[in-house]
Coordinates of all heavy atoms in Angstrom, one line a residue:
M292 N -58.4 -3.9 -56.3 CA -58.3 -4.9 -57.4 C -58.0 -6.3 -56.8 O -57.2 -6.4 -55.9 CB -57.2 -4.5 -58.3 CG -57.1 -5.5 -59.5 SD -56.0 -4.9 -60.7 CE -54.5 -5.7 -60.3
T293 N -58.7 -7.3 -57.2 CA -58.5 -8.6 -56.7 C -57.6 -9.4 -57.7 O -57.6 -9.1 -58.9 CB -59.8 -9.4 -56.5 OG1 -60.5 -9.4 -57.7 CG2 -60.6 -8.6 -55.4
T294 N -56.9 -10.4 -57.2 CA -56.1 -11.2 -58.0 C -57.0 -12.4 -58.5 O -57.7 -13.0 -57.6 CB -54.9 -11.7 -57.2 OG1 -54.2 -10.6 -56.8 CG2 -54.0 -12.6 -58.1
P295 N -56.9 -12.8 -59.7 CA -57.6 -14.0 -60.1 C -57.2 -15.2 -59.3 O -56.1 -15.4 -58.9 CB -57.2 -14.2 -61.6 CG -56.8 -12.9 -62.1 CD -56.2 -12.2 -60.8
M296 N -58.2 -16.1 -59.0 CA -58.0 -17.3 -58.2 C -56.8 -18.1 -58.7 O -56.0 -18.6 -57.9 CB -59.2 -18.1 -58.1 CG -59.1 -19.3 -57.1 SD -58.7 -18.8 -55.4 CE -60.3 -18.3 -54.9
A297 N -56.7 -18.3 -60.0 CA -55.6 -19.1 -60.5 C -54.2 -18.6 -60.1 O -53.3 -19.3 -59.8 CB -55.7 -19.2 -62.0
L298 N -54.1 -17.2 -60.1 CA -52.8 -16.6 -59.7 C -52.6 -16.8 -58.2 O -51.4 -17.0 -57.8 CB -52.7 -15.2 -60.1 CG -52.6 -14.9 -61.6 CD1 -52.6 -13.4 -61.8 CD2 -51.3 -15.5 -62.1
D299 N -53.6 -16.7 -57.4 CA -53.5 -17.0 -56.0 C -53.0 -18.4 -55.7 O -52.1 -18.6 -54.9 CB -54.9 -16.8 -55.3 CG -55.3 -15.4 -55.1 OD1 -54.5 -14.5 -55.3 OD2 -56.4 -15.2 -54.6
D300 N -53.5 -19.3 -56.5 CA -53.0 -20.7 -56.3 C -51.6 -20.9 -56.7 O -50.9 -21.8 -56.1 CB -53.9 -21.7 -57.2 CG -55.3 -21.8 -56.8 OD1 -55.6 -21.3 -55.6 OD2 -56.2 -22.2 -57.6
L301 N -51.1 -20.1 -57.6 CA -49.7 -20.2 -58.0 C -48.7 -19.3 -57.2 O -47.5 -19.4 -57.4 CB -49.6 -19.8 -59.5 CG -50.3 -20.7 -60.5 CD1 -50.2 -20.2 -61.9 CD2 -49.7 -22.1 -60.4
W302 N -49.2 -18.5 -56.3 CA -48.4 -17.6 -55.6 C -47.2 -18.2 -54.9 O -46.1 -17.8 -55.0 CB -49.2 -16.7 -54.6 CG -48.3 -15.6 -54.1 CD1 -48.2 -14.3 -54.7 CD2 -47.5 -15.6 -53.0 NE1 -47.3 -13.6 -54.0 CE2 -46.8 -14.3 -52.9 CE3 -47.1 -16.5 -52.0 CZ2 -45.9 -14.0 -52.0 CZ3 -46.2 -16.2 -51.1 CH2 -45.6 -14.9 -51.0
P303 N -47.4 -19.3 -54.1 CA -46.3 -19.9 -53.4 C -45.1 -20.3 -54.3 O -44.0 -20.1 -54.0 CB -46.9 -21.1 -52.7 CG -48.3 -20.8 -52.5 CD -48.7 -20.0 -53.8
E304 N -45.5 -21.0 -55.5 CA -44.4 -21.4 -56.4 C -43.8 -20.1 -57.1 O -42.5 -20.1 -57.2 CB -45.0 -22.3 -57.5 CG -45.4 -23.6 -57.0 CD -46.8 -23.6 -56.4 OE1 -47.5 -22.6 -56.4 OE2 -47.2 -24.7 -55.8
D305 N -44.6 -19.2 -57.4 CA -44.0 -17.9 -58.0 C -43.1 -17.2 -57.0 O -42.1 -16.7 -57.3 CB -45.1 -17.0 -58.4 CG -45.9 -17.5 -59.6 OD1 -45.5 -18.5 -60.3 OD2 -47.0 -17.0 -59.9
A306 N -43.5 -17.2 -55.7 CA -42.7 -16.6 -54.7 C -41.3 -17.2 -54.5 O -40.3 -16.6 -54.5 CB -43.4 -16.6 -53.3
V307 N -41.3 -18.6 -54.5 CA -40.1 -19.3 -54.3 C -39.2 -19.0 -55.5 O -38.0 -18.7 -55.4 CB -40.3 -20.8 -54.1 CG1 -39.0 -21.6 -54.2 CG2 -41.0 -21.0 -52.8
A308 N -39.7 -19.1 -56.7 CA -39.0 -18.8 -57.9 C -38.4 -17.4 -57.9 O -37.2 -17.1 -58.3 CB -39.8 -19.0 -59.2
T309 N -39.2 -16.4 -57.4 CA -38.7 -15.0 -57.4 C -37.6 -14.9 -56.3 O -36.6 -14.2 -56.6 CB -39.9 -14.1 -57.0 OG1 -40.9 -14.2 -58.1 CG2 -39.5 -12.7 -56.9
I310 N -37.8 -15.5 -55.2 CA -36.7 -15.5 -54.1 C -35.4 -16.1 -54.7 O -34.4 -15.5 -54.5 CB -37.2 -16.3 -52.9 CG1 -38.4 -15.5 -52.2 CG2 -36.1 -16.5 -51.9 CD1 -39.1 -16.3 -51.2
I311 N -35.5 -17.2 -55.4 CA -34.3 -17.8 -55.9 C -33.6 -16.8 -56.9 O -32.4 -16.6 -56.9 CB -34.6 -19.1 -56.6 CG1 -35.1 -20.1 -55.5 CG2 -33.4 -19.7 -57.4 CD1 -35.7 -21.4 -56.1
G312 N -34.4 -16.2 -57.8 CA -33.9 -15.3 -58.8 C -33.2 -14.1 -58.1 O -32.2 -13.6 -58.5
L313 N -33.9 -13.5 -57.0 CA -33.3 -12.4 -56.3 C -32.0 -12.8 -55.6 O -31.0 -12.1 -55.6 CB -34.3 -11.9 -55.2 CG -35.5 -11.2 -55.8 CD1 -36.6 -11.0 -54.7 CD2 -35.1 -9.8 -56.3
A314 N -32.0 -14.0 -55.1 CA -30.8 -14.5 -54.4 C -29.6 -14.7 -55.4 O -28.4 -14.5 -55.0 CB -31.0 -15.8 -53.7
L315 N -29.9 -15.0 -56.6 CA -28.8 -15.1 -57.6 C -28.4 -13.7 -58.1 O -27.2 -13.6 -58.5 CB -29.3 -15.9 -58.8 CG -29.6 -17.4 -58.5 CD1 -30.3 -18.1 -59.7 CD2 -28.2 -18.1 -58.2
A316 N -29.3 -12.7 -58.1 CA -29.0 -11.4 -58.7 C -28.4 -10.4 -57.7 O -27.9 -9.4 -58.2 CB -30.3 -10.9 -59.3
Q317 N -28.6 -10.6 -56.4 CA -28.2 -9.5 -55.5 C -27.6 -10.2 -54.2 O -27.8 -11.4 -54.0 CB -29.3 -8.6 -55.2 CG -30.5 -9.3 -54.6 CD -31.8 -8.4 -54.6 OE1 -32.1 -7.7 -55.6 NE2 -32.5 -8.3 -53.5
P318 N -26.9 -9.4 -53.4 CA -26.1 -10.0 -52.3 C -27.1 -10.5 -51.2 O -26.7 -11.5 -50.5 CB -25.3 -8.8 -51.8 CG -25.4 -7.7 -52.7 CD -26.5 -8.0 -53.7
T319 N -28.2 -9.8 -50.9 CA -29.1 -10.2 -49.9 C -30.5 -10.1 -50.4 O -30.8 -9.4 -51.3 CB -29.0 -9.3 -48.6 OG1 -29.3 -8.0 -48.9 CG2 -27.6 -9.4 -48.0
V320 N -31.4 -10.8 -49.7 CA -32.8 -10.8 -50.0 C -33.7 -10.7 -48.8 O -33.4 -11.4 -47.8 CB -33.2 -12.2 -50.7 CG1 -34.7 -12.2 -51.1 CG2 -32.3 -12.4 -51.9
T321 N -34.7 -9.9 -48.8 CA -35.6 -9.7 -47.7 C -37.1 -9.8 -48.3 O -37.3 -9.8 -49.5 CB -35.5 -8.4 -47.0 OG1 -35.9 -7.3 -47.9 CG2 -34.0 -8.2 -46.5
A322 N -38.0 -9.8 -47.4 CA -39.4 -9.8 -47.8 C -39.8 -8.5 -48.5 O -40.6 -8.5 -49.4 CB -40.3 -10.0 -46.6
D323 N -39.1 -7.4 -48.2 CA -39.3 -6.2 -49.0 C -38.9 -6.4 -50.4 O -39.6 -5.9 -51.3 CB -38.5 -5.1 -48.4 CG -39.0 -4.5 -47.1 OD1 -40.1 -5.0 -46.6 OD2 -38.4 -3.6 -46.5
D324 N -37.8 -7.1 -50.7 CA -37.4 -7.3 -52.1 C -38.5 -8.2 -52.8 O -38.8 -7.9 -53.9 CB -36.1 -8.1 -52.1 CG -35.0 -7.3 -51.5 OD1 -34.9 -6.1 -51.7 OD2 -34.1 -7.9 -50.8
L325 N -39.0 -9.2 -52.1 CA -40.0 -10.0 -52.7 C -41.3 -9.2 -53.0 O -41.8 -9.3 -54.1 CB -40.4 -11.2 -51.8 CG -41.5 -12.1 -52.3 CD1 -41.0 -12.8 -53.6 CD2 -41.8 -13.2 -51.2
A326 N -41.7 -8.3 -52.1 CA -42.8 -7.5 -52.3 C -42.7 -6.6 -53.5 O -43.7 -6.3 -54.2 CB -43.2 -6.7 -51.1
R327 N -41.5 -6.1 -53.8 CA -41.2 -5.2 -54.9 C -41.3 -6.0 -56.2 O -41.6 -5.4 -57.3 CB -39.8 -4.6 -54.8 CG -39.8 -3.3 -54.0 CD -38.5 -2.6 -54.1 NE -37.3 -3.3 -53.6 CZ -37.0 -3.4 -52.3 NH1 -37.7 -2.7 -51.4 NH2 -35.9 -4.1 -52.0
E328 N -41.0 -7.2 -56.2 CA -40.9 -8.0 -57.4 C -42.1 -8.9 -57.8 O -42.2 -9.3 -58.9 CB -39.7 -9.0 -57.3 CG -38.3 -8.3 -57.2 CD -38.0 -7.5 -58.5 OE1 -38.2 -8.0 -59.6 OE2 -37.4 -6.4 -58.4
L329 N -42.9 -9.1 -56.8 CA -44.1 -10.1 -57.0 C -45.4 -9.5 -56.6 O -45.4 -8.7 -55.6 CB -43.8 -11.4 -56.3 CG -44.7 -12.6 -56.5 CD1 -44.7 -13.0 -58.0 CD2 -44.3 -13.7 -55.6
R330 N -46.4 -9.9 -57.2 CA -47.8 -9.4 -56.7 C -47.9 -9.8 -55.2 O -47.3 -10.7 -54.7 CB -48.8 -10.1 -57.6 CG -48.9 -11.6 -57.4 CD -49.9 -12.2 -58.5 NE -49.8 -13.7 -58.3 CZ -48.9 -14.4 -58.8 NH1 -47.9 -13.9 -59.5 NH2 -48.9 -15.8 -58.7
P331 N -48.8 -9.1 -54.6 CA -49.0 -9.4 -53.1 C -49.5 -10.8 -52.9 O -50.2 -11.4 -53.7 CB -50.1 -8.4 -52.7 CG -50.1 -7.3 -53.8 CD -49.6 -8.0 -55.0
A332 N -49.0 -11.3 -51.8 CA -49.5 -12.7 -51.4 C -51.0 -12.7 -51.1 O -51.5 -11.7 -50.6 CB -48.7 -13.1 -50.1
P333 N -51.7 -13.8 -51.4 CA -53.1 -13.8 -51.1 C -53.4 -13.7 -49.6 O -54.4 -13.2 -49.2 CB -53.5 -15.2 -51.6 CG -52.4 -15.6 -52.6 CD -51.2 -14.9 -52.1
H334 N -52.4 -14.0 -48.8 CA -52.5 -13.9 -47.3 C -51.1 -13.5 -46.8 O -50.1 -14.1 -47.2 CB -53.1 -15.2 -46.7 CG -53.4 -15.0 -45.3 ND1 -52.5 -15.0 -44.3 CD2 -54.6 -14.8 -44.7 CE1 -53.1 -14.8 -43.1 NE2 -54.4 -14.7 -43.3
G335 N -51.1 -12.6 -45.8 CA -49.8 -12.2 -45.3 C -49.0 -13.3 -44.7 O -47.7 -13.2 -44.6
N336 N -49.6 -14.4 -44.2 CA -48.9 -15.5 -43.6 C -48.2 -16.4 -44.6 O -47.7 -17.4 -44.3 CB -49.8 -16.3 -42.7 CG -50.1 -15.5 -41.5 OD1 -49.5 -14.5 -41.1 ND2 -51.2 -16.0 -40.7
M337 N -48.2 -16.1 -45.9 CA -47.7 -16.9 -46.9 C -46.2 -16.6 -47.3 O -45.5 -17.3 -47.9 CB -48.5 -16.9 -48.2 CG -49.9 -17.4 -48.0 SD -50.9 -17.3 -49.5 CE -50.3 -18.6 -50.5
V338 N -45.8 -15.4 -46.8 CA -44.4 -14.9 -47.2 C -43.4 -15.7 -46.5 O -42.4 -16.2 -47.1 CB -44.3 -13.4 -46.9 CG1 -42.9 -12.9 -47.2 CG2 -45.3 -12.6 -47.8
G339 N -43.5 -15.9 -45.2 CA -42.5 -16.6 -44.4 C -42.3 -18.0 -44.9 O -41.2 -18.5 -45.1
P340 N -43.4 -18.8 -45.1 CA -43.2 -20.1 -45.7 C -42.6 -20.2 -47.0 O -41.9 -21.2 -47.3 CB -44.7 -20.6 -45.7 CG -45.4 -19.9 -44.6 CD -44.8 -18.5 -44.6
A341 N -42.7 -19.1 -47.8 CA -42.1 -19.1 -49.1 C -40.5 -19.1 -48.9 O -39.8 -19.8 -49.6 CB -42.6 -18.0 -50.0
F342 N -40.1 -18.2 -48.0 CA -38.7 -18.1 -47.7 C -38.2 -19.4 -47.1 O -37.1 -19.9 -47.5 CB -38.4 -17.0 -46.8 CG -38.2 -15.7 -47.5 CD1 -39.3 -14.9 -47.8 CD2 -37.0 -15.2 -47.9 CE1 -39.2 -13.7 -48.4 CE2 -36.8 -14.0 -48.6 CZ -38.0 -13.2 -48.9
R343 N -39.0 -20.0 -46.2 CA -38.6 -21.3 -45.6 C -38.5 -22.4 -46.7 O -37.6 -23.2 -46.7 CB -39.6 -21.7 -44.5 CG -39.3 -23.0 -43.8 CD -38.0 -23.2 -43.2 NE -37.5 -22.0 -42.4 CZ -36.2 -21.7 -42.3 NH1 -35.3 -22.5 -42.8 NH2 -35.8 -20.6 -41.6
A344 N -39.4 -22.4 -47.6 CA -39.3 -23.4 -48.7 C -38.1 -23.2 -49.6 O -37.4 -24.2 -49.9 CB -40.6 -23.3 -49.6
A345 N -37.7 -22.0 -49.9 CA -36.5 -21.8 -50.7 C -35.3 -22.2 -49.9 O -34.3 -22.7 -50.4 CB -36.4 -20.3 -51.1
A346 N -35.3 -22.0 -48.6 CA -34.2 -22.4 -47.7 C -34.1 -23.9 -47.6 O -33.1 -24.5 -47.7 CB -34.3 -21.8 -46.3
N347 N -35.3 -24.6 -47.5 CA -35.3 -26.0 -47.4 C -34.8 -26.7 -48.7 O -34.3 -27.8 -48.6 CB -36.7 -26.5 -47.0 CG -37.1 -26.2 -45.6 OD1 -36.2 -25.9 -44.8 ND2 -38.4 -26.3 -45.3
E348 N -35.0 -26.0 -49.8 CA -34.6 -26.5 -51.1 C -33.1 -26.2 -51.3 O -32.5 -26.6 -52.3 CB -35.4 -25.9 -52.2 CG -36.8 -26.4 -52.2 CD -37.7 -25.7 -53.3 OE1 -37.1 -25.0 -54.2 OE2 -38.9 -25.8 -53.2
G349 N -32.5 -25.5 -50.4 CA -31.0 -25.2 -50.4 C -30.6 -24.0 -51.2 O -29.5 -23.8 -51.6
H350 N -31.6 -23.1 -51.6 CA -31.3 -22.0 -52.4 C -30.9 -20.8 -51.6 O -30.1 -19.9 -52.1 CB -32.5 -21.6 -53.2 CG -32.9 -22.7 -54.2 ND1 -32.2 -23.1 -55.3 CD2 -34.0 -23.5 -54.1 CE1 -32.8 -24.0 -55.9 NE2 -33.9 -24.4 -55.2
I351 N -31.4 -20.6 -50.4 CA -31.0 -19.4 -49.6 C -30.7 -19.9 -48.2 O -31.0 -21.0 -47.7 CB -32.2 -18.4 -49.5 CG1 -33.4 -19.0 -48.9 CG2 -32.4 -17.8 -50.9 CD1 -34.5 -18.0 -48.7
I352 N -30.0 -19.0 -47.5 CA -29.5 -19.3 -46.1 C -29.9 -18.0 -45.3 O -29.5 -16.9 -45.7 CB -28.0 -19.5 -46.0 CG1 -27.7 -20.8 -46.9 CG2 -27.5 -19.7 -44.6 CD1 -26.2 -21.0 -47.1
H353 N -30.5 -18.2 -44.1 CA -30.7 -17.1 -43.2 C -29.4 -16.6 -42.6 O -28.6 -17.5 -42.2 CB -31.7 -17.5 -42.1 CG -32.1 -16.4 -41.3 ND1 -31.6 -16.1 -40.1 CD2 -33.0 -15.4 -41.5 CE1 -32.1 -15.0 -39.6 NE2 -33.0 -14.6 -40.4
T354 N -29.2 -15.3 -42.6 CA -27.9 -14.8 -42.1 C -27.9 -14.7 -40.6 O -26.8 -14.5 -40.0 CB -27.7 -13.4 -42.7 OG1 -28.7 -12.5 -42.2 CG2 -27.6 -13.4 -44.2
G355 N -29.1 -14.8 -40.0 CA -29.1 -14.6 -38.5 C -29.3 -13.1 -38.2 O -29.4 -12.7 -37.1
N356 N -29.4 -12.3 -39.3 CA -29.6 -10.8 -39.1 C -30.9 -10.4 -39.6 O -31.6 -11.1 -40.4 CB -28.5 -10.1 -39.9 CG -27.1 -10.4 -39.4 OD1 -26.9 -10.4 -38.2 ND2 -26.2 -10.6 -40.3
Y357 N -31.3 -9.3 -39.1 CA -32.6 -8.7 -39.4 C -32.4 -7.2 -39.7 O -31.5 -6.6 -39.3 CB -33.6 -8.8 -38.2 CG -33.9 -10.3 -37.9 CD1 -33.0 -11.0 -37.1 CD2 -35.0 -11.0 -38.5 CE1 -33.3 -12.3 -36.8 CE2 -35.2 -12.3 -38.2 CZ -34.3 -13.0 -37.4 OH -34.6 -14.3 -37.1
T358 N -33.4 -6.6 -40.4 CA -33.4 -5.2 -40.7 C -34.8 -4.7 -40.6 O -35.8 -5.5 -40.6 CB -32.8 -4.9 -42.1 OG1 -32.6 -3.5 -42.2 CG2 -33.7 -5.4 -43.2
Q359 N -35.0 -3.4 -40.5 CA -36.3 -2.8 -40.5 C -36.9 -2.8 -41.9 O -36.2 -2.4 -42.8 CB -36.3 -1.4 -39.9 CG -36.2 -1.4 -38.4 CD -36.3 0.0 -37.9 OE1 -36.0 1.0 -38.6 NE2 -36.8 0.1 -36.7
S360 N -38.2 -3.2 -42.0 CA -38.8 -3.1 -43.3 C -39.0 -1.6 -43.7 O -39.2 -0.8 -42.9 CB -40.2 -3.7 -43.2 OG -40.9 -3.5 -44.4
Q361 N -38.8 -1.4 -45.0 CA -39.0 -0.1 -45.6 C -40.4 0.1 -46.2 O -40.7 1.2 -46.7 CB -37.9 0.2 -46.6 CG -36.5 0.1 -46.0 CD -36.3 1.1 -44.9 OE1 -36.5 2.3 -45.0 NE2 -35.9 0.6 -43.7
R362 N -41.2 -0.9 -46.1 CA -42.5 -0.8 -46.7 C -43.4 -0.1 -45.7 O -43.5 -0.5 -44.5 CB -43.1 -2.2 -47.0 CG -42.3 -2.8 -48.2 CD -42.7 -4.2 -48.5 NE -44.1 -4.5 -48.3 CZ -44.5 -5.7 -47.7 NH1 -43.6 -6.6 -47.3 NH2 -45.7 -5.9 -47.6
P363 N -44.1 1.0 -46.1 CA -45.0 1.7 -45.2 C -46.0 0.9 -44.4 O -46.2 1.1 -43.2 CB -45.7 2.7 -46.1 CG -44.8 2.9 -47.3 CD -44.1 1.5 -47.5
G364 N -46.6 -0.1 -45.1 CA -47.6 -0.9 -44.4 C -47.0 -1.8 -43.3 O -47.8 -2.3 -42.5
R365 N -45.7 -2.0 -43.3 CA -45.1 -2.9 -42.3 C -44.7 -2.1 -41.1 O -44.2 -2.6 -40.1 CB -43.9 -3.6 -42.9 CG -44.2 -4.5 -44.0 CD -44.9 -5.7 -43.6 NE -44.1 -6.4 -42.6 CZ -44.5 -7.3 -41.8 NH1 -45.8 -7.7 -41.8 NH2 -43.7 -7.9 -40.9
K366 N -44.7 -0.7 -41.2 CA -44.5 0.1 -40.0 C -43.1 -0.2 -39.4 O -43.0 -0.2 -38.1 CB -45.6 0.1 -39.0 CG -46.9 0.5 -39.6 CD -48.0 0.5 -38.7 CE -49.3 0.9 -39.4 NZ -50.5 0.7 -38.5
H367 N -42.1 -0.4 -40.2 CA -40.7 -0.6 -39.7 C -40.6 -1.9 -38.9 O -39.7 -2.0 -38.0 CB -40.2 0.6 -38.9 CG -40.2 1.8 -39.8 ND1 -39.3 2.0 -40.8 CD2 -41.0 2.9 -39.8 CE1 -39.5 3.2 -41.4 NE2 -40.5 3.7 -40.8
S368 N -41.4 -2.9 -39.1 CA -41.3 -4.1 -38.4 C -40.0 -4.8 -38.9 O -39.5 -4.4 -40.0 CB -42.5 -5.0 -38.6 OG -42.6 -5.3 -40.0
V369 N -39.5 -5.8 -38.2 CA -38.3 -6.4 -38.7 C -38.5 -7.5 -39.8 O -39.6 -8.1 -39.8 CB -37.5 -7.1 -37.5 CG1 -37.1 -6.1 -36.5 CG2 -38.3 -8.2 -36.9
V370 N -37.6 -7.6 -40.7 CA -37.6 -8.7 -41.7 C -36.3 -9.4 -41.7 O -35.2 -8.7 -41.4 CB -37.9 -8.1 -43.1 CG1 -39.4 -7.6 -43.2 CG2 -37.0 -7.0 -43.5
A371 N -36.3 -10.6 -41.9 CA -35.0 -11.4 -42.0 C -34.2 -11.1 -43.2 O -34.8 -10.8 -44.3 CB -35.4 -12.9 -42.0
I372 N -32.9 -11.2 -43.1 CA -32.0 -11.1 -44.2 C -31.5 -12.4 -44.6 O -31.0 -13.2 -43.8 CB -30.8 -10.1 -43.8 CG1 -31.3 -8.8 -43.4 CG2 -29.9 -10.0 -45.0 CD1 -30.3 -7.9 -42.8
W373 N -31.6 -12.7 -45.9 CA -31.2 -14.0 -46.4 C -30.1 -13.8 -47.5 O -30.1 -12.7 -48.1 CB -32.4 -14.7 -47.1 CG -33.6 -15.0 -46.2 CD1 -34.5 -14.1 -45.8 CD2 -33.9 -16.2 -45.6 NE1 -35.4 -14.7 -44.9 CE2 -35.0 -16.0 -44.8 CE3 -33.3 -17.5 -45.6 CZ2 -35.6 -17.0 -44.0 CZ3 -33.9 -18.5 -44.8 CH2 -35.0 -18.3 -44.1
I374 N -29.3 -14.8 -47.8 CA -28.4 -14.7 -48.9 C -28.5 -16.0 -49.7 O -29.1 -17.0 -49.2 CB -26.9 -14.7 -48.4 CG1 -26.6 -15.9 -47.5 CG2 -26.6 -13.4 -47.7 CD1 -25.1 -16.0 -47.2
G375 N -28.1 -15.9 -50.9 CA -28.1 -17.1 -51.8 C -27.1 -18.1 -51.3 O -26.1 -17.7 -50.8
A376 N -27.4 -19.3 -51.4 CA -26.6 -20.4 -50.8 C -25.2 -20.3 -51.5 O -24.2 -20.6 -50.8 CB -27.2 -21.8 -51.1
E377 N -25.1 -19.9 -52.7 CA -23.8 -19.8 -53.3 C -23.0 -18.6 -52.8 O -21.8 -18.5 -53.0 CB -23.9 -19.7 -54.9 CG -24.4 -18.4 -55.4 CD -26.0 -18.2 -55.2 OE1 -26.6 -19.2 -54.9 OE2 -26.5 -17.1 -55.4
H378 N -23.6 -17.7 -52.0 CA -22.9 -16.6 -51.4 C -22.6 -16.8 -49.9 O -22.4 -15.9 -49.2 CB -23.8 -15.3 -51.6 CG -24.1 -15.0 -53.0 ND1 -23.1 -14.7 -53.9 CD2 -25.3 -14.8 -53.6 CE1 -23.7 -14.4 -55.1 NE2 -25.0 -14.5 -54.9
E379 N -22.7 -18.0 -49.5 CA -22.6 -18.3 -48.1 C -21.4 -17.7 -47.4 O -21.4 -17.3 -46.3 CB -22.6 -19.8 -47.8 CG -22.6 -20.2 -46.4 CD -22.8 -21.7 -46.2 OE1 -22.7 -22.5 -47.2 OE2 -23.0 -22.1 -45.1
D380 N -20.3 -17.6 -48.1 CA -19.0 -17.1 -47.6 C -19.1 -15.6 -47.4 O -18.2 -15.0 -46.8 CB -17.8 -17.5 -48.4 CG -18.0 -16.9 -49.8 OD1 -19.1 -16.8 -50.4 OD2 -16.9 -16.6 -50.4
R381 N -20.2 -14.9 -47.9 CA -20.3 -13.5 -47.7 C -21.4 -13.1 -46.7 O -21.9 -12.0 -46.8 CB -20.7 -12.9 -49.1 CG -19.6 -13.0 -50.1 CD -19.9 -12.3 -51.4 NE -21.3 -12.6 -51.9 CZ -21.9 -12.0 -52.9 NH1 -21.3 -10.9 -53.4 NH2 -23.0 -12.4 -53.3
T382 N -21.6 -13.9 -45.7 CA -22.7 -13.6 -44.8 C -22.4 -12.3 -44.1 O -21.3 -12.1 -43.5 CB -22.7 -14.8 -43.7 OG1 -23.0 -16.0 -44.3 CG2 -23.9 -14.5 -42.7
P383 N -23.4 -11.4 -44.1 CA -23.2 -10.1 -43.5 C -23.1 -10.2 -42.0 O -23.5 -11.0 -41.4 CB -24.4 -9.3 -43.9 CG -25.2 -10.1 -44.8 CD -24.6 -11.5 -44.8

């Protein structure tokens, strides 16, 4: 199934909004969390920049930690662990 072009165009903004919502709702956020909550990115290289955009806007902070992805397609590759900026004192 393909995603309509209009949704592809909105994916970066939708991703940042989803990341912000996840950061407010749970202690940590990873790309696995984003994948569970949002339609797939039009291109795999769009996920990292979405996290960087949320960080540049001051919504999330990279913890400096990584974990193995639990998504089968990622074959246990590493994903960064982020926290919401308001949770900065709880860095794992």
Side-chain angles (χ1 to χ4, degrees):
M292 180 171 97
T293 60
T294 304
M296 184 59 77
L298 288 179
D299 282 355
D300 292 345
L301 296 175
W302 192 91
E304 292 83 5
D305 292 347
V307 171
T309 301
I310 292 166
I311 293 166
L313 288 166
L315 292 170
Q317 58 194 46
T319 62
V320 182
T321 69
D323 284 356
D324 298 320
L325 179 63
R327 276 191 295 277
E328 296 294 321
L329 187 63
R330 65 191 175 279
H334 190 279
N336 289 345
M337 296 175 78
V338 175
F342 277 88
R343 179 57 42 210
N347 288 344
E348 292 174 13
H350 299 289
I351 60 172
I352 299 167
H353 186 261
T354 65
N356 296 316
Y357 298 85
T358 190
Q359 285 187 330
S360 175
Q361 299 303 304
R362 292 175 33 222
R365 298 291 301 165
K366 299 180 181 174
H367 300 288
S368 60
V369 297
V370 291
I372 301 173
W373 301 80
I374 59 170
E377 70 282 351
H378 302 300
E379 185 174 9
D380 60 327
R381 296 189 302 171
T382 303

